[in-house]
Amino acid sequence: MVWIFKSRSTLETLRRIVQARKFVALLPSKLAKAETAWHASQPERPPEFEFIEQEPDGSEAQRLLGGPIQKRFRFSKDDNRKV
């Protein structure tokens, strides 16, 4: 015979099981609502970007690989939207 000591009542265990099932049942709708709100908060236009390639400075590494490359982003000025 095995004796088990539990400090949690059976009703508390049952309440936790019901609460976990409710959480799992409501999670997809909450995630969908949060995803929709996130997409609504994103700007309509993505930022514009351009590549800037500079000339090599003459070092051995840049002679083999080329000069440094930068990527510049330009964001639109429509920051007055409500979130």
Side-chain angles (χ1 to χ4, degrees):
M1 182 183 285
V2 177
W3 293 94
I4 298 174
F5 176 75
K6 295 189 314 184
S7 61
R8 187 184 315 149
S9 70
T10 306
L11 289 176
E12 177 65 20
T13 303
L14 181 63
R15 185 189 71 78
R16 287 183 180 204
I17 292 171
V18 169
Q19 185 178 9
R21 286 191 178 183
K22 283 182 183 179
F23 175 78
V24 170
L26 292 175
L27 189 60
S29 63
K30 288 183 179 181
L31 286 176
K33 190 183 298 183
E35 183 181 5
T36 304
W38 181 81
H39 282 294
S41 71
Q42 297 304 304
E44 287 85 22
R45 296 184 312 172
E48 299 172 5
F49 63 90
E50 65 176 322
F51 285 104
I52 303 170
E53 189 170 355
Q54 299 175 358
E55 294 296 322
D57 63 1
S59 66
E60 181 67 21
Q62 288 191 5
R63 186 183 65 78
L64 295 172
L65 300 173
I69 299 175
Q70 297 176 340
K71 192 173 185 181
R72 181 184 303 172
F73 291 91
R74 293 191 181 127
F75 295 91
S76 61
K77 300 288 184 185
D78 58 349
D79 293 335
N80 297 330
R81 296 183 310 125
K82 293 184 180 179
V83 178

